[in-house]
Short mmCIF file of all heavy atoms in Angstrom, two decimals:
data_model
loop_
_atom_site.label_atom_id
_atom_site.label_comp_id
_atom_site.label_asym_id
_atom_site.label_seq_id
_atom_site.Cartn_x
_atom_site.Cartn_y
_atom_site.Cartn_z
N LYS Z 342 -10.89 8.20 13.68
CA LYS Z 342 -9.64 7.53 13.33
C LYS Z 342 -9.32 7.75 11.85
O LYS Z 342 -8.18 7.99 11.47
CB LYS Z 342 -9.71 6.04 13.63
CG LYS Z 342 -8.35 5.41 13.48
CD LYS Z 342 -8.04 4.32 14.44
CE LYS Z 342 -8.12 4.69 15.87
NZ LYS Z 342 -7.51 3.73 16.76
N LYS Z 343 -10.34 7.69 11.01
CA LYS Z 343 -10.15 7.93 9.58
C LYS Z 343 -9.63 9.34 9.35
O LYS Z 343 -8.66 9.55 8.62
CB LYS Z 343 -11.47 7.72 8.84
CG LYS Z 343 -11.39 7.92 7.35
CD LYS Z 343 -12.72 7.64 6.69
CE LYS Z 343 -12.63 7.72 5.19
NZ LYS Z 343 -13.88 7.34 4.53
N LEU Z 344 -10.25 10.32 9.98
CA LEU Z 344 -9.82 11.71 9.83
C LEU Z 344 -8.40 11.91 10.35
O LEU Z 344 -7.60 12.64 9.75
CB LEU Z 344 -10.79 12.65 10.53
CG LEU Z 344 -12.19 12.71 9.91
CD1 LEU Z 344 -13.12 13.56 10.78
CD2 LEU Z 344 -12.14 13.23 8.49
N LEU Z 345 -8.07 11.26 11.47
CA LEU Z 345 -6.73 11.35 12.03
C LEU Z 345 -5.69 10.80 11.06
O LEU Z 345 -4.63 11.40 10.86
CB LEU Z 345 -6.67 10.61 13.38
CG LEU Z 345 -5.39 10.72 14.17
CD1 LEU Z 345 -5.08 12.18 14.51
CD2 LEU Z 345 -5.50 9.89 15.45
N CYS Z 346 -6.01 9.68 10.43
CA CYS Z 346 -5.08 9.10 9.44
C CYS Z 346 -4.90 10.04 8.26
O CYS Z 346 -3.77 10.27 7.80
CB CYS Z 346 -5.59 7.74 8.97
SG CYS Z 346 -5.39 6.44 10.19
N LEU Z 347 -5.99 10.57 7.74
CA LEU Z 347 -5.90 11.47 6.60
C LEU Z 347 -5.13 12.74 6.96
O LEU Z 347 -4.32 13.23 6.17
CB LEU Z 347 -7.29 11.80 6.07
CG LEU Z 347 -8.03 10.60 5.46
CD1 LEU Z 347 -9.48 10.96 5.17
CD2 LEU Z 347 -7.34 10.08 4.21
N LYS Z 348 -5.34 13.26 8.17
CA LYS Z 348 -4.60 14.45 8.62
C LYS Z 348 -3.12 14.16 8.80
O LYS Z 348 -2.30 15.07 8.72
CB LYS Z 348 -5.18 14.98 9.93
CG LYS Z 348 -6.51 15.66 9.76
CD LYS Z 348 -7.06 16.13 11.09
CE LYS Z 348 -8.43 16.72 10.91
NZ LYS Z 348 -9.06 17.08 12.19
N ASN Z 349 -2.77 12.91 9.07
CA ASN Z 349 -1.37 12.53 9.29
C ASN Z 349 -0.71 11.96 8.05
O ASN Z 349 0.33 11.33 8.14
CB ASN Z 349 -1.27 11.57 10.46
CG ASN Z 349 -1.35 12.30 11.79
OD1 ASN Z 349 -0.38 12.91 12.21
ND2 ASN Z 349 -2.50 12.28 12.41
N GLY Z 350 -1.32 12.14 6.90
CA GLY Z 350 -0.65 11.82 5.65
C GLY Z 350 -1.11 10.60 4.89
O GLY Z 350 -0.50 10.26 3.87
N ALA Z 351 -2.15 9.92 5.33
CA ALA Z 351 -2.64 8.78 4.56
C ALA Z 351 -3.20 9.27 3.23
O ALA Z 351 -3.94 10.25 3.19
CB ALA Z 351 -3.73 8.03 5.34
N ALA Z 352 -2.84 8.60 2.16
CA ALA Z 352 -3.36 8.94 0.84
C ALA Z 352 -4.76 8.37 0.64
O ALA Z 352 -5.54 8.90 -0.14
CB ALA Z 352 -2.43 8.42 -0.24
N ASP Z 353 -5.06 7.29 1.36
CA ASP Z 353 -6.36 6.63 1.24
C ASP Z 353 -6.60 5.84 2.52
O ASP Z 353 -5.65 5.53 3.25
CB ASP Z 353 -6.37 5.70 0.02
CG ASP Z 353 -7.76 5.48 -0.56
OD1 ASP Z 353 -8.77 5.76 0.14
OD2 ASP Z 353 -7.85 5.03 -1.72
N TYR Z 354 -7.84 5.52 2.79
CA TYR Z 354 -8.24 4.79 4.00
C TYR Z 354 -9.30 3.79 3.59
O TYR Z 354 -10.38 4.18 3.15
CB TYR Z 354 -8.79 5.79 5.02
CG TYR Z 354 -9.09 5.23 6.39
CD1 TYR Z 354 -8.18 5.38 7.43
CD2 TYR Z 354 -10.29 4.57 6.65
CE1 TYR Z 354 -8.46 4.89 8.69
CE2 TYR Z 354 -10.58 4.08 7.92
CZ TYR Z 354 -9.66 4.25 8.94
OH TYR Z 354 -9.93 3.77 10.19
N LEU Z 355 -8.98 2.50 3.70
CA LEU Z 355 -9.89 1.45 3.25
C LEU Z 355 -10.27 0.54 4.41
O LEU Z 355 -9.42 0.17 5.21
CB LEU Z 355 -9.22 0.62 2.15
CG LEU Z 355 -8.68 1.41 0.96
CD1 LEU Z 355 -7.90 0.51 0.04
CD2 LEU Z 355 -9.82 2.08 0.23
N LEU Z 356 -11.54 0.18 4.44
CA LEU Z 356 -12.04 -0.73 5.48
C LEU Z 356 -11.97 -2.18 5.01
O LEU Z 356 -12.38 -2.49 3.90
CB LEU Z 356 -13.49 -0.40 5.82
CG LEU Z 356 -13.71 0.73 6.82
CD1 LEU Z 356 -15.19 0.98 6.99
CD2 LEU Z 356 -13.07 0.42 8.14
N LYS Z 357 -11.43 -3.04 5.88
CA LYS Z 357 -11.45 -4.48 5.63
C LYS Z 357 -12.84 -4.99 5.95
O LYS Z 357 -13.47 -4.47 6.86
CB LYS Z 357 -10.43 -5.19 6.52
CG LYS Z 357 -9.00 -5.05 6.05
CD LYS Z 357 -8.10 -5.88 6.95
CE LYS Z 357 -6.68 -5.90 6.47
NZ LYS Z 357 -5.83 -6.70 7.36
#
Side-chain angles (χ1 to χ4, degrees):
K342 189 145 303 194
K343 181 177 185 176
L344 293 174
L345 186 59
C346 286
L347 293 171
K348 287 178 184 175
N349 281 282
D353 207 342
Y354 187 99
L355 306 173
L356 277 177
K357 283 184 175 180

